[in-house]
Amino acid sequence: METLYLAGGCLWGVQAFVKTLPGVVTTEAGRANGETQTLDGPYDGYVECVKTTFDPSQVDVTALMGYLFEIIDPYSINQQGEDIGPKYRTGVYSDQPKHLDEARQFIHQCPDADRIAVEVKPLTNYIPSATIHQDNLDKYPNDYCHIPVALMKKYS
């Protein structure tokens, strides 16, 4: 199993979508690449993300990037839907250089690649979200989500 951290706006919708994807084994809502080691207080540079554990024999980073690009506006800076601010920026994070290389190659192949605002960076730290924020849209399906319902059900 391998792990990639995907950021695409509010983590509730991203988690609900990602866990339906073929080859994804587990997901966990959390925060990546912040300046502190605690969830107490402000976001301190963190981005909302989903820790995505996947089976590389069933899905690769390139495919996961394609799925991510289905649910985000890759040209938007610090905003997805009505969620605005740096904690809602888009990104891909990993401690595996090969994952970052594959993500960069995917972006390089996209139209207007030079305008794409998706971060591709090494994972410097990760903190799981509180239990109450795990699988939130399963518990509260009518909560706001920037991802269209049709996409949420596309792969399930």
Side-chain angles (χ1 to χ4, degrees), residues 44-154:
D44 294 325
Y46 279 98
V47 59
E48 290 193 0
C49 71
V50 175
K51 179 180 179 182
T52 305
T53 303
F54 63 97
D55 181 343
S57 71
Q58 295 182 25
V59 67
D60 61 15
V61 172
T62 300
L64 290 170
M65 290 293 293
Y67 293 129
L68 178 65
F69 273 49
E70 286 186 48
I71 61 169
I72 65 169
D73 173 355
Y75 305 104
S76 180
I77 298 171
N78 296 336
Q79 180 175 0
Q80 293 296 309
E82 295 178 25
D83 299 312
I84 300 171
K87 71 181 182 179
Y88 298 118
R89 66 191 183 270
T90 55
V92 178
Y93 311 94
S94 178
D95 57 6
Q96 300 292 317
K98 68 177 183 166
H99 290 168
L100 301 176
D101 289 342
E102 290 175 54
R104 288 183 188 107
Q105 288 172 7
F106 176 89
I107 290 171
H108 181 71
Q109 301 297 319
C110 292
D112 296 321
D114 59 325
R115 290 186 40 239
I116 291 178
V118 177
E119 291 184 333
V120 178
K121 293 185 173 182
L123 181 73
T124 57
N125 60 357
Y126 169 79
I127 300 175
S129 292
T131 303
I132 194 170
H133 294 292
Q134 301 298 331
D135 301 308
N136 192 70
L137 286 182
D138 289 346
K139 295 181 264 189
Y140 308 102
N142 294 323
D143 271 5
Y144 165 76
C145 182
H146 70 284
I147 302 170
V149 174
L151 279 177
M152 292 293 214
K153 297 179 180 184
K154 185 174 179 181

Side-chain angles (χ1 to χ4, degrees), residues 15-33:
Q15 184 180 30
F17 175 76
V18 169
K19 72 183 190 177
T20 69
L21 300 177
V24 171
V25 179
T26 62
T27 61
E28 179 180 65
R31 298 180 188 176
N33 286 13

Side-chain angles (χ1 to χ4, degrees), residues 31 33-40 42-46 125 127:
R31 298 180 188 176
N33 286 13
E35 300 168 7
T36 63
Q37 295 299 318
T38 178
L39 290 176
D40 298 332
Y43 268 71
D44 294 325
Y46 279 98
N125 60 357
I127 300 175

